[in-house]
Amino acid sequence: MNEATYEKLQYNELKQIIKSYCVSGLGKQLLDKLKPSTNLKVVKGRLNETTEARTILDAVGHVPFPGVSNIENIIKKLEKGIFLDPSELVSVADFLRGCRKIKRFMAEKEFFAPILASYANSMSEFKQIEEEINFSIKGNGVDSAASKELKRIRNNIEVTEGKINDRLNKFLNNGTNKKYIQEFFISKKDDRYTIPIKASYKSQVPGTIIEVSSKGSTVFIEPTAVTKLGGELANLKVEETMEEYQILATLSGMILEKIYEIKINMDLVSQYDM
């Protein structure tokens, strides 16, 4: 069938209308590739599937697609050996949960939609991966409970930051320092805790200049009193980042081990959506 015939039949316009009802990018991709068939067996098979889909919608009103998004680019990233960030891991967990719900939903419709229900037999469930991700990732970040080591590091960070704040507040409240201070607050610059000092007094305050204001009237100094603690905090932050990477790599590895089965789920969800 040539493009002129497609245009006369308004086939592409019809596909666009149908695409507007797809709930995932997966179904839309499949519709883009869809062509009419001249094979009678294929046509009858598609019509039977459509009849069953119509029966399901008439009986139940909906199919549980929430959470099922197109994770194709995430899977490609994994295949290149790049581990996933927290938001990508959450997307995979949502997709797997959506697959699990669709599988159970379709399995229960075997009596009046045997063809569509049979596809669900090829879908896999990955509840353990879902749970591991949901346990380890909270609020688009790695949760402290993800590992004992991460919890220990973050506790140490909290304690160290508390000590730094205590010492800097003592500096701010010391009457001797009053004339040096440009503004009475603790300012964080490049993960270092500083005090805004008048530039003309910078040599009077022992410490390290971390930043200078745009006009040059203020210098942000990390006082010597917190220099050692600042170094300890920087090391703890590096440890935290390394531990977070390790957790993300482990979760990504769990998904990579099941990537073949997950791709089958993606294909089946595409079919169901279409």
Side-chain angles (χ1 to χ4, degrees):
M1 192 180 289
N2 58 37
E3 284 301 319
T5 309
Y6 284 144
E7 285 180 26
K8 285 179 182 176
L9 290 172
Q10 294 185 297
Y11 181 74
N12 292 323
E13 286 88 337
L14 180 61
K15 284 209 297 185
Q16 289 302 317
I17 294 168
I18 297 170
K19 271 174 70 175
S20 71
Y21 292 95
C22 281
V23 296
S24 78
L26 293 165
K28 290 177 182 178
Q29 274 188 351
L30 214 54
L31 268 167
D32 284 335
K33 298 172 186 173
L34 185 67
K35 300 287 182 187
S37 176
T38 55
N39 185 315
L40 190 60
K41 188 178 179 181
V42 170
V43 172
K44 285 182 176 178
R46 287 179 179 177
L47 285 171
N48 286 336
E49 288 176 345
T50 306
T51 301
E52 288 190 3
R54 181 72 262 175
T55 305
I56 289 173
L57 292 176
D58 288 341
V60 188
H62 75 286
V63 179
F65 279 117
V68 177
S69 58
N70 188 355
I71 60 167
E72 191 174 36
N73 288 334
I74 296 175
I75 295 302
K76 284 179 181 175
K77 185 176 174 180
L78 266 181
E79 288 177 319
K80 290 176 182 175
I82 306 168
F83 64 77
L84 306 181
D85 64 35
S87 63
E88 290 167 333
L89 287 166
V90 169
S91 293
V92 173
D94 289 344
F95 176 81
L96 297 179
R97 183 169 60 254
C99 289
R100 181 163 50 85
K101 288 181 178 178
I102 291 169
K103 178 180 173 70
R104 293 179 184 182
F105 175 89
M106 288 297 180
E108 291 167 359
K109 307 299 177 288
E110 190 175 9
F111 179 71
F112 54 84
I115 299 169
L116 293 183
S118 68
Y119 299 156
N121 295 333
S122 299
M123 292 184 81
S124 303
E125 293 188 29
F126 304 98
K127 201 168 182 184
Q128 186 186 351
I129 295 177
E130 285 178 54
E131 289 173 349
E132 286 287 344
I133 293 171
N134 293 331
F135 177 76
S136 301
I137 308 296
K138 297 279 192 310
N140 253 2
V142 181
D143 192 70
S144 297
S147 76
K148 288 181 180 178
E149 181 63 8
L150 186 60
K151 192 171 186 179
R152 180 194 68 78
I153 293 167
R154 287 185 176 168
N155 284 340
N156 287 342
I157 286 173
E158 195 176 334
V159 170
T160 305
E161 287 179 331
K163 288 178 181 177
I164 290 171
N165 276 299
D166 286 344
R167 292 191 186 182
L168 291 180
N169 279 316
K170 282 181 184 177
F171 182 94
L172 288 171
N173 295 324
N174 188 326
T176 309
N177 300 326
K178 190 175 181 180
K179 64 179 180 181
Y180 307 139
I181 299 169
Q182 184 77 279
E183 293 181 74
F184 285 79
F185 65 85
I186 298 167
S187 179
K188 202 173 180 184
K189 301 287 182 182
D190 295 330
D191 275 341
R192 309 293 287 215
Y193 288 81
T194 67
I195 302 292
I197 301 295
K198 295 171 185 175
S200 55
Y201 289 107
K202 64 183 179 182
S203 60
Q204 305 296 313
V205 179
T208 307
I209 296 174
I210 304 299
E211 193 177 297
V212 179
S213 68
S214 56
K215 292 182 179 179
S217 58
T218 306
V219 291
F220 296 89
I221 291 180
E222 179 187 65
T224 304
V226 298
T227 299
K228 187 180 177 185
L229 287 170
E232 289 176 13
L233 183 61
N235 289 335
L236 285 167
K237 291 282 188 180
V238 171
E239 286 181 36
E240 180 187 31
T241 300
M242 289 173 67
E243 184 62 18
E244 286 175 349
Y245 282 171
Q246 184 59 49
I247 291 161
L248 295 175
T250 300
L251 293 172
S252 298
M254 291 175 68
I255 298 166
L256 190 58
E257 283 179 11
K258 302 294 181 182
I259 204 159
Y260 176 74
E261 294 93 329
I262 291 172
K263 280 185 169 182
I264 292 173
N265 280 15
M266 288 169 67
D267 289 340
L268 291 167
V269 166
S270 302
Q271 293 285 349
Y272 276 139
D273 190 14
M274 185 181 71

